[in-house]
Amino acid sequence: MNQYFPQHDGLLPFWLLLTSAASVGNTIQAFSTLKYTRRVYSGSYTPSTPAGSKPLPATSPVSPLQARTFGVWSLLSSVIRLYAAYYIDNPLIYQLTLCTYVIAWGHFMSEWLYFGTAAMGAGLASPLVVANGSLIWMLMQWGFYVQ
């Protein structure tokens, strides 16, 4: 069974495998329900409503088409991250994987701070933590994996 896991030293390849699998899960949910995508794209909280207690607005910007598009984007990111988990010493794959996290970070930050379609909460915090953490980790480990 061990032969199916990344064979490189360190934990980063396993993290990339984990985030790849999570992206596949996100793709499945994006095609099957709007519930979780609407948790991210739920608009701003009002100051008088405690975070986490506000129901999803009826005017959520998430449509079935947008959710499926998001699912396809997640699947593409998943494939790139999967390749990086197994070929982490390839500089082009490493750079492409970094780009997936930069794009994810930029997307979620712009939806939150510029467009206002995302509200800070568990739905938005999770992808931001993964994108930020992965970016920092990959930038710090470039010299270890890419010779």
Side-chain angles (χ1 to χ4, degrees), residues 109-132:
M109 291 298 288
S110 67
E111 293 298 331
W112 175 39
L113 298 174
Y114 183 75
F115 296 109
T117 56
M120 185 51 72
L124 180 61
S126 298
L128 283 177
V129 167
V130 169
N132 283 329

Side-chain angles (χ1 to χ4, degrees), residues 12 15-16 19 81 94 97-110 112-113 120 124-141:
L12 184 56
W15 173 252
L16 295 173
T19 61
R81 294 168 188 170
Y94 202 98
T97 305
L98 270 170
C99 287
T100 68
Y101 292 113
V102 168
I103 292 167
W105 182 86
H107 168 73
F108 290 115
M109 291 298 288
S110 67
W112 175 39
L113 298 174
M120 185 51 72
L124 180 61
S126 298
L128 283 177
V129 167
V130 169
N132 283 329
S134 300
L135 275 170
I136 292 167
W137 194 359
M138 288 188 74
L139 289 170
M140 290 175 56
Q141 295 296 304

Side-chain angles (χ1 to χ4, degrees), residues 34-122:
L34 299 178
K35 180 180 177 181
Y36 299 106
T37 307
R38 284 184 173 164
R39 286 185 182 174
V40 177
Y41 304 100
S42 60
S44 300
Y45 288 110
T46 59
S48 61
T49 305
S53 65
K54 180 181 177 196
L56 295 174
T59 59
S60 173
V62 176
S63 69
L65 175 60
Q66 187 273 337
R68 291 189 305 271
T69 303
F70 186 74
V72 170
W73 172 61
S74 294
L75 185 60
L76 178 58
S77 294
S78 175
V79 169
I80 293 169
R81 294 168 188 170
L82 180 67
Y83 268 82
Y86 290 95
Y87 302 102
I88 198 164
D89 54 349
N90 182 315
L92 294 176
I93 293 176
Y94 202 98
Q95 290 168 0
L96 277 174
T97 305
L98 270 170
C99 287
T100 68
Y101 292 113
V102 168
I103 292 167
W105 182 86
H107 168 73
F108 290 115
M109 291 298 288
S110 67
E111 293 298 331
W112 175 39
L113 298 174
Y114 183 75
F115 296 109
T117 56
M120 185 51 72

